[in-house]
Amino acid sequence: MKTLKKITIIGSGNVATHLAKALYREEYQIDTVYSQTKENAVVLANEVDSFPIDKISQMDVTSDLYLIAIKDDAIADFSQQFPFKDQLVVHTSGSISMEVFKENGFTNYGIFYPLQTFSKDKKIHLDEVPFCIEGSNEKIEADLIHLAKNISSKVYAIDSEERKKIHLAAVFACNFTNYMYTISEDILKKNRIDFDILKPLIQETAKKILKNTPQEMQTGPAVRKDQNIMQDHLDMLSNQKDYQTIYQLISNQIKQGS
Amino acid sequence: MKTLKKITIIGSGNVATHLAKALYREEYQIDTVYSQTKENAVVLANEVDSFPIDKISQMDVTSDLYLIAIKDDAIADFSQQFPFKDQLVVHTSGSISMEVFKENGFTNYGIFYPLQTFSKDKKIHLDEVPFCIEGSNEKIEADLIHLAKNISSKVYAIDSEERKKIHLAAVFACNFTNYMYTISEDILKKNRIDFDILKPLIQETAKKILKNTPQEMQTGPAVRKDQNIMQDHLDMLSNQKDYQTIYQLISNQIKQGS
């Protein structure tokens, strides 16, 4: 039984769009889509059979849930302006505490955080995305978990402190990993070698940690303590001091941990 | 037409095992398997219908190719001891120059480098593994490319300088990436959160660069220049100065690049 049937979506970016569409597919009613940019609200509203608005004063008071999927640093400000302080609100951020709602006078609130990296034009199977859920009371948490389970098979009750730790870990596992890819592409590009040659290695590196811990799967000159190769690599990076610093620092870490 | 029909495998580790089996499946004859540890030679030889040896003096002179798949820092020493200096030898290392053979008196030699991370008990589809091939002359290079194409669809002619650059790039894309996973697992473990929650994110991060450049796919607080979140993260890492240093360094790099 759906307790949160009628939903207003705040935002029109990647997360808002993915969630709105998934909920719409599961026959939730998307009452309104709010975006400061009317055109964006219209685009998303059209896709989920909803009503686009661009002013907070136009907000519909009758929704069961207001799902705030906007930039992290806009959440506090929006919460302050939001008029219906008794209504149920959630945000989708990994790093903003649930307290932001309490501080802005809300009584019913929670977190609805999909732990994934969303990009425009890149399809995501939400069913496999872990959702970290928290509620300001047990009933709300149960309702939000129920809602999340309608769109994902991986739903976790996670409090705000844990969620911040997960988000920090995700920065290393996703953002910094992607930056390692960027460096590797840059090194190849400077030598006119196509990045494609590294793609199978990158895929395999990610797959290996599905069945073993990353520590067990560590390979390379640093874990072998192969000083000659590491020195060769540092020499090759002599024109790129920033990469050289990263190479040295991470290699030392791997050596110490091994 | 196979010109290199009879092959001796030097080594019995992950790379030697994967290559020997793949060549055997393609009906190459594995004359002998050499390993300093007799038991290891026996295990692999049994799997590829071959003859195990543990002394260089037992080496068969009649092979068309001697494929050296041993540790990087053992290649020079082995090459020196190898008795048949007119025979065709190759090694499988990403970081050792082809010159190691010339320096040790060989006249026919090359490189047969599979660009992948091999682990025990983890199956690899060699067909999708890029092979970087180099030969001491055109005929040898053509023969080695032909051989590689029998076990992989991704075969590249790559000279020793390029190969070293590729290997350096691979350290960032594979070894350092895996270390980012290790940090993320460690952060979660210290907070009693199961690493499983990050696995879909890690897979998606790797998949995203198949169709877009990593630079285009960069997400997270650093590329958004979200100073509050970054400060929160640095504070959370105050008990782990090494991770804090890495966080700061890579975030600064991402900020500058964006």
Side-chain angles (χ1 to χ4, degrees), chain B:
Chain B
M1 200 199 58
K2 292 172 180 170
T3 51
L4 308 171
K5 278 178 271 191
K6 294 154 57 38
I7 299 173
T8 284
I9 301 287
I10 320 290
S12 57
N14 292 326
V15 176
T17 301
H18 277 98
L19 290 179
K21 285 177 167 181
L23 292 166
Y24 177 69
R25 273 196 302 272
E26 293 302 320
E27 301 189 351
Y28 288 90
Q29 179 182 322
I30 311 299
D31 292 328
T32 46
V33 171
Y34 167 85
S35 171
Q36 283 185 310
T37 312
K38 185 65 178 271
E39 293 79 359
N40 296 345
V42 169
V43 169
L44 179 52
N46 280 344
E47 294 201 74
V48 295
D49 223 350
S50 183
F51 186 73
I53 60 172
D54 63 347
K55 290 185 183 58
I56 290 183
S57 60
Q58 300 167 307
M59 200 72 69
D60 181 351
V61 71
T62 67
S63 292
D64 300 321
L65 172 68
Y66 296 80
L67 195 153
I68 304 172
I70 60 180
K71 282 186 183 155
D72 287 3
D73 54 11
I75 292 173
D77 193 44
F78 179 86
S79 300
Q80 200 182 10
Q81 292 176 53
F82 189 83
F84 317 131
K85 302 293 184 185
D86 294 331
Q87 294 292 74
L88 175 58
V89 290
V90 297
H91 73 65
T92 59
S93 163
S95 48
I96 303 291
S97 168
M98 194 166 67
E99 295 300 295
V100 70
F101 293 126
K102 193 176 183 184
E103 288 159 9
N104 284 292
F106 289 88
T107 47
N108 300 299
Y109 48 85
I111 303 293
F112 203 80
Y113 169 46
L115 178 53
Q116 190 49 281
T117 169
F118 294 93
S119 312
K120 263 186 195 154
D121 307 327
K122 172 86 178 70
K123 274 196 183 167
I124 294 273
H125 294 284
L126 273 188
D127 178 54
E128 292 161 26
V129 172
F131 276 76
C132 302
I133 304 297
E134 187 179 8
S136 56
N137 65 46
E138 279 182 26
K139 167 77 167 66
I140 287 172
E141 192 159 296
D143 286 350
L144 291 173
I145 286 173
H146 183 86
L147 180 68
K149 282 186 172 169
N150 269 292
I151 54 177
S152 169
S153 60
K154 295 178 177 170
V155 179
Y156 300 79
I158 298 282
D159 70 31
S160 283
E161 276 312 297
E162 289 171 325
R163 182 165 40 83
K164 282 187 180 186
K165 295 288 168 34
I166 292 170
H167 186 245
L168 172 62
V171 167
F172 284 92
C174 168
N175 307 152
F176 290 177
T177 284
N178 186 73
Y179 187 66
M180 296 299 123
Y181 301 159
T182 302
I183 296 178
S184 69
E185 192 206 14
D186 190 39
I187 291 169
L188 292 187
K189 198 189 280 174
K190 289 196 170 99
N191 291 280
R192 296 164 190 242
I193 301 165
D194 196 318
F195 182 52
D196 278 355
I197 202 168
L198 277 185
K199 288 179 179 176
L201 178 65
I202 286 173
Q203 301 311 308
E204 177 66 14
T205 303
K207 275 186 209 150
K208 280 168 79 168
I209 55 89
L210 292 176
K211 295 202 173 165
N212 294 86
T213 69
Q215 195 166 15
E216 290 165 340
M217 291 295 102
Q218 189 65 54
T219 55
V223 76
R224 290 198 311 269
K225 298 188 169 67
D226 190 330
Q227 213 57 51
N228 292 332
I229 306 273
M230 284 189 276
Q231 192 54 55
D232 271 1
H233 285 168
L234 290 171
D235 292 345
M236 280 193 263
L237 292 171
S238 58
N239 290 325
Q240 184 96 44
K241 293 290 178 198
D242 48 352
Y243 294 169
Q244 203 181 44
T245 305
I246 292 173
Y247 189 98
Q248 185 93 65
L249 179 64
I250 300 182
S251 292
N252 282 344
Q253 283 286 122
I254 294 174
K255 271 195 291 180
Q256 283 166 26
S258 64

Side-chain angles (χ1 to χ4, degrees), chain A residues 215-245:
Chain A
Q215 195 166 15
E216 290 165 341
M217 291 295 101
Q218 189 64 55
T219 56
V223 75
R224 291 198 310 270
K225 298 187 169 64
D226 191 329
Q227 214 57 52
N228 292 332
I229 307 273
M230 284 188 277
Q231 192 54 55
D232 271 2
H233 285 169
L234 290 170
D235 292 346
M236 279 193 263
L237 293 171
S238 58
N239 290 325
Q240 185 94 44
K241 293 291 179 199
D242 48 351
Y243 294 169
Q244 203 181 44
T245 305

Side-chain angles (χ1 to χ4, degrees), chain A residues 87-240:
Chain A
Q87 294 293 74
L88 175 59
V89 290
V90 296
H91 72 65
T92 60
S93 162
S95 48
I96 303 292
S97 168
M98 194 167 67
E99 294 300 296
V100 68
F101 293 126
K102 193 175 182 182
E103 288 160 8
N104 284 292
F106 289 87
T107 47
N108 300 300
Y109 47 85
I111 303 294
F112 203 79
Y113 168 46
L115 178 52
Q116 190 50 282
T117 169
F118 294 93
S119 311
K120 262 186 197 156
D121 307 327
K122 171 86 177 71
K123 273 197 185 168
I124 294 273
H125 294 284
L126 273 189
D127 179 54
E128 291 161 27
V129 172
F131 276 77
C132 302
I133 304 298
E134 187 178 6
S136 57
N137 65 44
E138 279 183 25
K139 168 77 168 65
I140 287 172
E141 192 158 297
D143 285 350
L144 292 173
I145 285 174
H146 182 86
L147 179 69
K149 282 187 172 169
N150 269 292
I151 54 176
S152 168
S153 59
K154 296 178 176 169
V155 179
Y156 300 80
I158 299 281
D159 69 30
S160 283
E161 276 312 298
E162 290 171 325
R163 182 164 41 83
K164 282 187 179 185
K165 295 290 170 27
I166 292 170
H167 186 246
L168 172 61
V171 168
F172 284 92
C174 168
N175 307 151
F176 290 177
T177 284
N178 187 74
Y179 187 67
M180 296 299 124
Y181 302 158
T182 302
I183 295 178
S184 69
E185 192 207 13
D186 191 39
I187 291 170
L188 293 187
K189 198 189 280 173
K190 289 195 169 97
N191 291 280
R192 297 166 188 240
I193 301 166
D194 196 317
F195 182 52
D196 278 355
I197 201 169
L198 277 185
K199 288 179 178 176
L201 178 66
I202 286 172
Q203 301 311 308
E204 177 66 15
T205 303
K207 275 187 208 150
K208 280 169 80 167
I209 55 88
L210 293 175
K211 294 202 174 167
N212 294 86
T213 69
Q215 195 166 15
E216 290 165 341
M217 291 295 101
Q218 189 64 55
T219 56
V223 75
R224 291 198 310 270
K225 298 187 169 64
D226 191 329
Q227 214 57 52
N228 292 332
I229 307 273
M230 284 188 277
Q231 192 54 55
D232 271 2
H233 285 169
L234 290 170
D235 292 346
M236 279 193 263
L237 293 171
S238 58
N239 290 325
Q240 185 94 44

